[in-house]
Amino acid sequence: FYFYSAPENFSEEMLRGKRVIVTGASSGIGEQMAYHLARMEAHLLLTARTEAKLQKVVERCLELGAASARYISGSMDSPSLPEEVLREAENTWGGLDMLILNHIGQSGFTFFSGDVGHVRNLLETNFVSYVALATAALPMLKESEGNIVVVSSVAGRIAGPFTASYSATKFALEGFFSSLRQEFIIDKVNVSITLCILGYINTESAVRAVSHVIPDTPAPKEECALEIIRAGALRRREMLYPPRAVGTMLLLHSFAPELLDSIIRGNYRLENVRRT
Ligand SMILES: NC(=O)C1=CN([C@@H]2O[C@H](COP(=O)(O)OP(=O)(O)OC[C@H]3O[C@@H](n4cnc5c(N)ncnc54)[C@H](OP(=O)(O)O)[C@@H]3O)[C@@H](O)[C@H]2O)C=CC1
Ligand SMILES: C[C@H](CCC(=O)O)[C@H]1CC[C@H]2[C@@H]3C(=O)C[C@@H]4C[C@H](O)CC[C@]4(C)[C@H]3CC[C@]12C
C-alpha cells in the first residue's frame, strides 16, 4: 500500500541548482542519472575510472543544460579517492546537496571460484568506499539537510546463485546504511538515506553478464535512473524498481523463501553458466 500510494509530489525543479555527486557515472544507470540531472539543471560531479568516457558524459550533460559538470577519474578501491572527491565538491561548490552512490567493481555471474582476494577487493569497491564517501560528505550534507542515495539490488536482499561476492557487498550496504539511518533519527540529523532495490536492468554490463542464463526481459535503465533520483529527492526510505517484479519477489521471500529459491533456480538456464 505504501509503495503504490505514497503521494507523488516530485517536481524536476527540486533538483534545479542542486549540487550532486554521482559515482559510477561513465555508463549504465549512473550515466542515465547524470543526463536526467543535467536536464533538471543540477550541478554535477561525476566519478568512474575511465576518463575518456567521463569526458563524453560531461560534454553531453553540459549540452543538456547542467548548471555545471565536472569529473574525477579513479578507482574506488583506492582509499584516498573518496576524500579527494568530497574535497573537490567543497572547493568548487562550498557544499553538497545529494550523494548518489552507484558504482560497482567487476564481478562475474558464475559459481564462487574460491578467490578470497576478489571478495576483499569487491568489498573495498562496492562497500567500504560507499562508507568512506558518505562519511566524508556528511558535514556538508548536514549543513544542506541533503540526501544520501544508495543503489543496491534484489541480490542484496535475496541471495540467488552466481552472485556470492556481489551479494555480500550489497547485503553489507543495507546493514550499514539502515543502521546509520536509525542513528540519524536518534541524533536528529536531517540527512535522508534512500536504499534503491533494483531488479534486472538493461545496462550493457548486466545484459552481457546474465542474458545467456536469465531469460527475463530487463527493465529500462532510463526510467530506472529517473526513479532513483525521484526517490532520493522525496527522501524515501527505499524504492523498488521495477516495482511490481521486485515487490513480488520480496513478498514471496518473506513467507515462502524456499519456494522462491527454487523458482529462481528453475528460471535459470543452468547449462549456460560459464565455469571459470
Ligand atoms: N544493471 C542491473 O541489472 C542492476 C544494477 N544494480 C546496481 O545499479 C548500479 C549500477 O549498475 P550498472 O549501471 O548496471 O553498472 P555498469 O557496469 O553499467 O556501471 C558501473 C559503473 O561503475 C564504474 N566502475 C567500475 N569499476 C569501478 C571502480 N573500481 N571504481 C570506480 N568506479 C568503477 C564504471 O565505470 P568505469 O569502468 O569507467 O570505472 C561504471 O561507470 C550498481 O550499484 C548495481 O549494483 C542493481 C541491480 C541490478
Ligand atoms: C534476475 C535477477 C533477479 C531475479 C533473481 O534473483 O534471479 C537480477 C536481480 C539483480 C541482478 C544483478 C545485479 O544486481 C547487478 C549485477 C551487475 C553486474 O554487472 C552483473 C549482473 C548482476 C549480477 C545482475 C544479474 C541479474 C540479477 C541477479
Side-chain angles (χ1 to χ4, degrees), residues 104-109 152-156 158-163 166 170 198-201 203 205-210 214 216 246 249 263-265 267-268:
I104 43 167
Q106 210 173 352
S107 54
F109 189 70
S152 188
S153 167
V154 170
I158 302 163
F162 314 128
T163 55
Y166 170 83
K170 293 298 191 184
L198 309 184
Y200 184 21
I201 312 298
T203 63
S205 63
V207 170
R208 197 182 325 116
V210 305
I214 299 176
D216 306 346
V246 174
M249 281 185 74
I263 291 173
I264 290 173
R265 287 194 304 273
N267 189 38
Y268 285 5

Short mmCIF file of all heavy atoms in Angstrom, two decimals, residues 104-109 152-156 158-163 166 170 198-201 203 205-210 214 216 246 249 263-265 267-268, ligand 2:
data_model
loop_
_atom_site.label_atom_id
_atom_site.label_comp_id
_atom_site.label_asym_id
_atom_site.label_seq_id
_atom_site.Cartn_x
_atom_site.Cartn_y
_atom_site.Cartn_z
N ILE A 104 30.01 0.03 -9.10
CA ILE A 104 30.35 -1.33 -8.65
C ILE A 104 31.59 -1.79 -9.40
O ILE A 104 31.76 -1.46 -10.57
CB ILE A 104 29.22 -2.38 -8.91
CG1 ILE A 104 28.59 -2.19 -10.30
CG2 ILE A 104 28.21 -2.39 -7.80
CD1 ILE A 104 27.72 -3.37 -10.73
N GLY A 105 32.40 -2.57 -8.73
CA GLY A 105 33.54 -3.21 -9.39
C GLY A 105 33.05 -4.40 -10.18
O GLY A 105 31.92 -4.87 -10.02
N GLN A 106 33.93 -4.91 -11.03
CA GLN A 106 33.53 -6.02 -11.90
C GLN A 106 33.38 -7.32 -11.13
O GLN A 106 34.20 -7.66 -10.29
CB GLN A 106 34.56 -6.20 -13.00
CG GLN A 106 33.93 -6.74 -14.25
CD GLN A 106 34.90 -6.78 -15.41
OE1 GLN A 106 36.02 -6.27 -15.33
NE2 GLN A 106 34.48 -7.41 -16.49
N SER A 107 32.26 -8.02 -11.39
CA SER A 107 32.11 -9.37 -10.83
C SER A 107 31.35 -10.20 -11.84
O SER A 107 30.45 -9.69 -12.49
CB SER A 107 31.37 -9.32 -9.49
OG SER A 107 30.15 -8.66 -9.63
N GLY A 108 31.70 -11.43 -11.97
CA GLY A 108 31.05 -12.28 -12.97
C GLY A 108 29.72 -12.82 -12.47
O GLY A 108 29.25 -12.46 -11.39
N PHE A 109 29.11 -13.66 -13.27
CA PHE A 109 27.85 -14.30 -12.90
C PHE A 109 28.09 -15.80 -13.04
O PHE A 109 27.78 -16.41 -14.06
CB PHE A 109 26.73 -13.80 -13.82
CG PHE A 109 25.36 -14.22 -13.40
CD1 PHE A 109 24.78 -13.68 -12.26
CD2 PHE A 109 24.63 -15.13 -14.15
CE1 PHE A 109 23.50 -14.05 -11.86
CE2 PHE A 109 23.35 -15.51 -13.75
CZ PHE A 109 22.79 -14.97 -12.61
N SER A 152 21.31 -0.24 -4.53
CA SER A 152 21.52 -1.64 -4.17
C SER A 152 20.72 -2.53 -5.13
O SER A 152 20.35 -2.09 -6.23
CB SER A 152 21.15 -1.88 -2.70
OG SER A 152 21.54 -3.18 -2.33
N SER A 153 20.46 -3.75 -4.72
CA SER A 153 19.94 -4.75 -5.65
C SER A 153 19.05 -5.75 -4.92
O SER A 153 19.19 -5.95 -3.70
CB SER A 153 21.14 -5.50 -6.23
OG SER A 153 20.75 -6.66 -6.91
N VAL A 154 18.19 -6.39 -5.67
CA VAL A 154 17.46 -7.55 -5.14
C VAL A 154 18.47 -8.55 -4.56
O VAL A 154 18.22 -9.18 -3.53
CB VAL A 154 16.65 -8.24 -6.26
CG1 VAL A 154 16.09 -9.56 -5.80
CG2 VAL A 154 15.54 -7.35 -6.75
N ALA A 155 19.64 -8.61 -5.23
CA ALA A 155 20.69 -9.53 -4.76
C ALA A 155 21.27 -9.13 -3.41
O ALA A 155 22.04 -9.88 -2.83
CB ALA A 155 21.79 -9.64 -5.81
N GLY A 156 20.90 -7.96 -2.91
CA GLY A 156 21.28 -7.54 -1.55
C GLY A 156 20.21 -7.85 -0.52
O GLY A 156 20.36 -7.51 0.66
N ILE A 158 17.92 -10.88 -1.41
CA ILE A 158 17.66 -12.30 -1.68
C ILE A 158 18.88 -12.82 -2.43
O ILE A 158 19.20 -12.32 -3.52
CB ILE A 158 16.42 -12.46 -2.59
CG1 ILE A 158 15.20 -11.82 -1.94
CG2 ILE A 158 16.18 -13.92 -2.92
CD1 ILE A 158 14.05 -11.58 -2.91
N ALA A 159 19.56 -13.79 -1.85
CA ALA A 159 20.78 -14.27 -2.49
C ALA A 159 20.48 -15.42 -3.43
O ALA A 159 20.29 -16.56 -3.00
CB ALA A 159 21.80 -14.67 -1.43
N GLY A 160 20.42 -15.11 -4.72
CA GLY A 160 20.31 -16.16 -5.74
C GLY A 160 21.70 -16.71 -6.02
O GLY A 160 22.69 -16.19 -5.50
N PRO A 161 21.79 -17.76 -6.86
CA PRO A 161 23.11 -18.31 -7.18
C PRO A 161 23.92 -17.39 -8.10
O PRO A 161 23.35 -16.53 -8.76
CB PRO A 161 22.78 -19.62 -7.90
CG PRO A 161 21.42 -19.42 -8.46
CD PRO A 161 20.69 -18.48 -7.55
N PHE A 162 25.23 -17.59 -8.11
CA PHE A 162 26.19 -16.98 -9.05
C PHE A 162 26.53 -15.51 -8.76
O PHE A 162 27.15 -14.84 -9.57
CB PHE A 162 25.71 -17.11 -10.52
CG PHE A 162 25.22 -18.50 -10.84
CD1 PHE A 162 23.97 -18.71 -11.42
CD2 PHE A 162 26.00 -19.61 -10.52
CE1 PHE A 162 23.52 -19.99 -11.67
CE2 PHE A 162 25.55 -20.89 -10.78
CZ PHE A 162 24.30 -21.08 -11.36
N THR A 163 26.10 -15.03 -7.59
CA THR A 163 26.44 -13.64 -7.23
C THR A 163 26.97 -13.58 -5.80
O THR A 163 26.76 -12.57 -5.11
CB THR A 163 25.19 -12.73 -7.34
OG1 THR A 163 24.15 -13.30 -6.53
CG2 THR A 163 24.70 -12.55 -8.75
N TYR A 166 29.27 -10.49 -4.95
CA TYR A 166 28.49 -9.27 -5.22
C TYR A 166 27.36 -9.11 -4.20
O TYR A 166 27.16 -8.05 -3.63
CB TYR A 166 27.96 -9.35 -6.65
CG TYR A 166 26.95 -8.28 -7.02
CD1 TYR A 166 27.37 -7.01 -7.42
CD2 TYR A 166 25.59 -8.54 -6.98
CE1 TYR A 166 26.45 -6.03 -7.76
CE2 TYR A 166 24.66 -7.57 -7.32
CZ TYR A 166 25.10 -6.32 -7.71
OH TYR A 166 24.17 -5.35 -8.04
N LYS A 170 26.36 -6.11 -1.31
CA LYS A 170 25.08 -5.39 -1.28
C LYS A 170 24.36 -5.62 0.07
O LYS A 170 23.72 -4.70 0.59
CB LYS A 170 24.19 -5.81 -2.46
CG LYS A 170 24.73 -5.39 -3.83
CD LYS A 170 24.84 -3.88 -3.97
CE LYS A 170 25.11 -3.43 -5.40
NZ LYS A 170 25.31 -1.97 -5.53
N LEU A 198 17.04 -2.71 -6.79
CA LEU A 198 16.78 -2.87 -8.22
C LEU A 198 16.77 -4.32 -8.63
O LEU A 198 17.56 -5.13 -8.14
CB LEU A 198 17.86 -2.15 -9.04
CG LEU A 198 18.17 -0.69 -8.69
CD1 LEU A 198 19.20 -0.12 -9.67
CD2 LEU A 198 16.91 0.16 -8.68
N GLY A 199 15.87 -4.62 -9.59
CA GLY A 199 15.89 -5.93 -10.27
C GLY A 199 16.76 -5.81 -11.51
O GLY A 199 17.62 -4.92 -11.60
N TYR A 200 16.52 -6.68 -12.46
CA TYR A 200 17.36 -6.77 -13.67
C TYR A 200 17.09 -5.56 -14.57
O TYR A 200 15.97 -5.35 -15.00
CB TYR A 200 17.02 -8.09 -14.36
CG TYR A 200 17.80 -8.48 -15.58
CD1 TYR A 200 19.06 -7.95 -15.87
CD2 TYR A 200 17.27 -9.43 -16.46
CE1 TYR A 200 19.76 -8.34 -16.99
CE2 TYR A 200 17.96 -9.84 -17.60
CZ TYR A 200 19.20 -9.29 -17.85
OH TYR A 200 19.89 -9.69 -18.97
N ILE A 201 18.15 -4.79 -14.85
CA ILE A 201 18.05 -3.55 -15.64
C ILE A 201 18.91 -3.71 -16.90
O ILE A 201 19.99 -4.31 -16.84
CB ILE A 201 18.57 -2.33 -14.82
CG1 ILE A 201 17.97 -2.31 -13.40
CG2 ILE A 201 18.30 -1.01 -15.57
CD1 ILE A 201 16.49 -2.16 -13.31
N THR A 203 21.29 -2.54 -18.59
CA THR A 203 22.60 -1.92 -18.86
C THR A 203 23.46 -2.93 -19.62
O THR A 203 23.28 -4.15 -19.48
CB THR A 203 23.31 -1.51 -17.55
OG1 THR A 203 23.57 -2.67 -16.77
CG2 THR A 203 22.45 -0.56 -16.74
N SER A 205 26.49 -3.92 -19.22
CA SER A 205 27.28 -4.87 -18.42
C SER A 205 26.40 -5.97 -17.84
O SER A 205 26.80 -7.14 -17.81
CB SER A 205 28.05 -4.15 -17.32
OG SER A 205 27.15 -3.55 -16.44
N ALA A 206 25.19 -5.62 -17.40
CA ALA A 206 24.31 -6.64 -16.81
C ALA A 206 23.82 -7.62 -17.88
O ALA A 206 23.84 -8.84 -17.68
CB ALA A 206 23.13 -5.98 -16.11
N VAL A 207 23.43 -7.08 -19.05
CA VAL A 207 22.94 -7.95 -20.13
C VAL A 207 24.06 -8.88 -20.58
O VAL A 207 23.85 -10.09 -20.79
CB VAL A 207 22.38 -7.09 -21.29
CG1 VAL A 207 22.08 -7.95 -22.51
CG2 VAL A 207 21.13 -6.33 -20.83
N ARG A 208 25.27 -8.33 -20.70
CA ARG A 208 26.43 -9.15 -21.10
C ARG A 208 26.67 -10.26 -20.08
O ARG A 208 26.95 -11.40 -20.42
CB ARG A 208 27.68 -8.27 -21.23
CG ARG A 208 28.80 -8.91 -22.01
CD ARG A 208 30.07 -8.05 -22.08
NE ARG A 208 29.84 -6.63 -22.17
CZ ARG A 208 30.22 -5.75 -21.24
NH1 ARG A 208 30.86 -6.15 -20.15
NH2 ARG A 208 29.99 -4.46 -21.37
N ALA A 209 26.49 -9.93 -18.80
CA ALA A 209 26.82 -10.91 -17.75
C ALA A 209 25.79 -12.02 -17.63
O ALA A 209 26.15 -13.15 -17.32
CB ALA A 209 26.97 -10.18 -16.42
N VAL A 210 24.50 -11.71 -17.86
CA VAL A 210 23.48 -12.71 -17.48
C VAL A 210 22.49 -13.14 -18.55
O VAL A 210 21.75 -14.09 -18.33
CB VAL A 210 22.68 -12.23 -16.23
CG1 VAL A 210 23.59 -11.90 -15.08
CG2 VAL A 210 21.76 -11.07 -16.55
N ILE A 214 19.69 -15.87 -17.77
CA ILE A 214 18.39 -15.39 -17.29
C ILE A 214 17.55 -14.95 -18.50
O ILE A 214 17.93 -14.01 -19.20
CB ILE A 214 18.57 -14.22 -16.29
CG1 ILE A 214 19.37 -14.70 -15.08
CG2 ILE A 214 17.22 -13.66 -15.86
CD1 ILE A 214 19.70 -13.62 -14.07
N ASP A 216 14.66 -13.49 -18.62
CA ASP A 216 13.73 -12.36 -18.40
C ASP A 216 14.13 -11.13 -19.23
O ASP A 216 15.30 -10.94 -19.54
CB ASP A 216 13.72 -11.96 -16.92
CG ASP A 216 13.43 -13.13 -16.01
OD1 ASP A 216 12.99 -14.17 -16.51
OD2 ASP A 216 13.68 -13.01 -14.79
N VAL A 246 9.98 -6.62 -8.32
CA VAL A 246 10.80 -6.66 -7.10
C VAL A 246 9.91 -6.83 -5.88
O VAL A 246 10.21 -7.62 -4.97
CB VAL A 246 11.68 -5.39 -6.99
CG1 VAL A 246 12.41 -5.35 -5.66
CG2 VAL A 246 12.69 -5.34 -8.15
N MET A 249 8.87 -10.41 -5.50
CA MET A 249 9.96 -11.27 -5.02
C MET A 249 10.19 -11.09 -3.52
O MET A 249 10.38 -12.07 -2.79
CB MET A 249 11.26 -10.93 -5.75
CG MET A 249 11.33 -11.55 -7.13
SD MET A 249 12.92 -11.25 -7.90
CE MET A 249 13.95 -12.37 -7.00
N ILE A 263 12.13 -21.36 -7.44
CA ILE A 263 11.63 -20.68 -8.66
C ILE A 263 12.80 -20.01 -9.37
O ILE A 263 12.94 -20.09 -10.60
CB ILE A 263 10.53 -19.65 -8.30
CG1 ILE A 263 9.26 -20.36 -7.83
CG2 ILE A 263 10.23 -18.75 -9.50
CD1 ILE A 263 8.17 -19.42 -7.29
N ILE A 264 13.67 -19.33 -8.60
CA ILE A 264 14.83 -18.64 -9.20
C ILE A 264 15.71 -19.66 -9.92
O ILE A 264 16.06 -19.48 -11.09
CB ILE A 264 15.63 -17.88 -8.12
CG1 ILE A 264 14.83 -16.67 -7.61
CG2 ILE A 264 16.99 -17.43 -8.66
CD1 ILE A 264 15.45 -15.95 -6.43
N ARG A 265 16.05 -20.77 -9.23
CA ARG A 265 16.92 -21.77 -9.87
C ARG A 265 16.27 -22.34 -11.13
O ARG A 265 16.91 -22.54 -12.15
CB ARG A 265 17.24 -22.91 -8.91
CG ARG A 265 18.22 -22.53 -7.80
CD ARG A 265 18.74 -23.78 -7.09
NE ARG A 265 17.68 -24.62 -6.56
CZ ARG A 265 17.11 -24.48 -5.35
NH1 ARG A 265 17.52 -23.52 -4.54
NH2 ARG A 265 16.15 -25.29 -4.95
N ASN A 267 14.25 -20.91 -13.11
CA ASN A 267 14.15 -19.92 -14.18
C ASN A 267 15.47 -19.77 -14.94
O ASN A 267 15.49 -19.23 -16.04
CB ASN A 267 13.75 -18.58 -13.53
CG ASN A 267 13.41 -17.51 -14.55
OD1 ASN A 267 12.81 -17.81 -15.57
ND2 ASN A 267 13.80 -16.28 -14.28
N TYR A 268 16.57 -20.23 -14.35
CA TYR A 268 17.89 -20.02 -14.97
C TYR A 268 18.20 -21.13 -15.97
O TYR A 268 17.85 -22.29 -15.76
CB TYR A 268 18.99 -20.03 -13.89
CG TYR A 268 19.06 -18.77 -13.04
CD1 TYR A 268 18.12 -17.75 -13.15
CD2 TYR A 268 20.09 -18.61 -12.12
CE1 TYR A 268 18.21 -16.61 -12.37
CE2 TYR A 268 20.18 -17.46 -11.33
CZ TYR A 268 19.24 -16.47 -11.46
OH TYR A 268 19.32 -15.34 -10.69
C1 LIG B 2 17.40 -11.54 -12.50
C2 LIG B 2 17.78 -11.20 -11.07
C3 LIG B 2 16.51 -11.11 -10.24
C4 LIG B 2 15.89 -12.46 -10.05
C5 LIG B 2 16.80 -13.43 -9.40
O1 LIG B 2 17.27 -13.20 -8.28
O2 LIG B 2 17.04 -14.44 -10.03
C6 LIG B 2 18.58 -9.89 -11.03
C7 LIG B 2 18.38 -9.08 -9.76
C8 LIG B 2 19.69 -8.33 -9.54
C9 LIG B 2 20.53 -8.62 -10.73
C10 LIG B 2 22.07 -8.48 -10.64
C11 LIG B 2 22.53 -7.23 -10.10
O3 LIG B 2 22.21 -6.85 -9.01
C12 LIG B 2 23.55 -6.46 -10.89
C13 LIG B 2 24.70 -7.28 -11.24
C14 LIG B 2 25.53 -6.34 -12.09
C15 LIG B 2 26.67 -6.99 -12.73
O4 LIG B 2 27.22 -6.09 -13.69
C16 LIG B 2 26.30 -8.29 -13.40
C17 LIG B 2 24.84 -8.62 -13.34
C18 LIG B 2 24.25 -8.59 -11.96
C19 LIG B 2 24.84 -9.77 -11.21
C20 LIG B 2 22.71 -8.72 -12.03
C21 LIG B 2 22.19 -10.04 -12.61
C22 LIG B 2 20.65 -10.20 -12.57
C23 LIG B 2 20.10 -10.01 -11.17
C24 LIG B 2 20.61 -11.16 -10.32
#
